[in-house]
């Protein structure tokens, strides 16, 4: 059974890999046996995350990259292949939410940044990794959000970008399936990360939110990372074009 979830022999690339869900995914994939490239725009944090993995005996390298820059994305993919000889699993966890509040109050810069990082970068990255994933029958996993599967009063711009990301996964799954490439998205709910800290630090908001969540708790990063490992492993070999919701039941609960 353990071999079903093994990533031995795989090379995994994680954007947004120096913090939060991305860092937990890099750790989980390394522990499952993959060689890991940790990437984000924060070079020092990337090196720290990669060193942590190396200290655990994982083959890991830090390759900083600003995902808004197409040239840097191309260099990231090329360096990954140069260092490890190929590419099997890509997880795009980089994401931003610069605007909170009604969508009509978002600035053009906030809209552009959100779409460029959360959606545009995923599209550009996908075009760069396709030829490498095709060689090995690999997988691409896009970290989306439940903000992209329902309406939201304060994260509308972010939600639109994540809805697009989930649809990107579906479209690529249809296009790339005949080439033996699997593409899925994961939509976390409220997960204990620095990204979610503004909400986690508001007791009144949290009380209402947890009352709407059947499991009555906040999720942990490893609970999302585990799904990413499954999707990259033999256990997920017949799953493609899916959006897997990891939210403790928030989106299906009736509040009772």
């Amino acid at each position: 059974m353990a071999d079903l979830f093994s990533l031995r022999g795989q090379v995994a690339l994680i954007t947004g890999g120096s913090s939060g869900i991305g860092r937990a995914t890099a750790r989980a994939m390394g522990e499952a046996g993959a060689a890991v490239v940790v990437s984000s725009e924060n070079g020092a944090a990337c090196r720290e995350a990669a060193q942590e993995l190396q200290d655990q005996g994982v083959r890991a390298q830090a390759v900083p990259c600003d995902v808004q820059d197409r040239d840097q994305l191309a260099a990231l993919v090329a360096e990954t292949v140069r260092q490890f000889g190929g590419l099997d699993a890509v997880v795009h966890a980089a994401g931003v939410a610069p605007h909170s509040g009604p969508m009509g109050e978002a600035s053009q810069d906030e809209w552009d940044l959100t779409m460029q990082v959360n959606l545009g970068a995923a599209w550009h990255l996908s075009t760069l990794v396709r030829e490498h994933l095709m060689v090995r029958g690999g997988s691409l996993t896009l970290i989306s959000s439940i903000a992209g599967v329902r309406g939201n009063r304060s994260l509308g711009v972010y939600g639109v970008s994540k809805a697009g990301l989930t649809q990107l996964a579906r479209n690529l799954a249809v296009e790339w399936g005949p080439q033996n490439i699997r593409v899925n998205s994961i939509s976390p709910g409220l997960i204990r990360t620095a990204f979610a800290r503004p909400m986690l630090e508001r007791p009144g908001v949290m009380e209402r939110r947890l009352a709407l969540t059947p499991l009555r708790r906040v999720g942990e990063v490893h609970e999302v990372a585990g799904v990413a490992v499954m999707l990259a492993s033999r256990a997920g070999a017949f799953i493609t074009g899916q959006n897997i919701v990891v939210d403790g039941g928030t989106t299906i609960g009736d509040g009772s």
Side-chain angles (χ1 to χ4, degrees):
M1 180 65 73
D3 285 346
L4 273 177
F5 298 91
S6 172
L7 300 184
R8 283 193 303 272
Q10 288 204 27
V11 176
L13 166 61
I14 295 92
T15 68
S18 64
S19 64
I21 290 170
R23 187 161 181 163
T25 299
R27 182 184 308 114
M29 288 191 157
E31 291 174 350
V36 177
V37 170
V38 179
S39 185
S40 77
E41 64 179 348
N42 187 329
C46 281
R47 289 186 287 273
E48 177 188 327
Q51 185 63 56
E52 178 183 273
L53 292 174
Q54 291 168 4
D55 291 344
Q56 297 172 3
V58 175
R59 294 174 64 208
Q61 293 293 330
V63 183
C65 172
D66 179 352
V67 296
Q68 297 178 81
D69 188 312
R70 297 187 194 186
D71 291 338
Q72 289 190 39
L73 277 174
L76 168 62
V77 174
E79 182 63 12
T80 298
V81 173
R82 188 191 72 79
Q83 292 245 14
F84 294 111
L87 188 55
D88 301 275
V90 177
V91 178
H92 181 64
V96 296
H99 175 73
S100 178
M103 292 181 66
E105 295 178 4
S107 69
Q108 186 67 52
D109 286 345
E110 289 172 329
W111 174 274
D112 291 345
L113 177 62
T114 305
M115 297 303 159
Q116 190 170 5
V117 173
N118 295 357
L119 183 56
W123 173 51
H124 293 309
L125 179 63
S126 69
T127 64
L128 292 164
V129 301
R130 174 182 165 273
E131 63 178 296
H132 302 291
L133 296 178
M134 185 169 56
V135 171
R136 303 202 188 189
S139 66
L140 171 63
T141 301
L142 307 176
I143 303 300
S144 187
S145 169
I146 62 169
V149 300
R150 64 180 188 175
N152 195 296
R153 291 188 180 88
S154 61
L155 288 173
V157 175
Y158 177 77
V160 169
S161 73
K162 292 298 189 176
L165 192 63
T166 297
Q167 185 61 28
L168 177 64
R170 294 190 190 100
N171 287 346
L172 293 180
V174 171
E175 292 181 20
W176 294 1
Q179 297 150 26
N180 199 26
I181 303 172
R182 293 171 291 107
V183 187
N184 295 284
S185 61
I186 301 173
S187 286
L190 184 59
I191 306 297
R192 197 181 311 280
T193 62
F195 187 82
R197 187 172 295 140
M199 182 176 290
L200 295 173
E201 293 178 345
R202 298 171 63 188
V205 172
M206 287 303 302
E207 182 178 355
R208 292 191 298 273
R209 178 60 178 268
L210 294 182
L212 297 172
T213 300
L215 290 185
R216 299 294 194 267
R217 67 176 178 85
V218 175
E220 304 296 338
V221 289
H222 70 271
E223 294 171 319
V224 182
V227 177
V229 170
M230 182 272 290
L231 289 173
S233 71
R234 286 200 305 124
F238 203 50
I239 300 173
T240 196
Q242 302 304 306
N243 179 46
I244 300 179
V245 176
V246 184
D247 71 346
T250 300
T251 53
I252 57 89
D254 63 359
S256 62

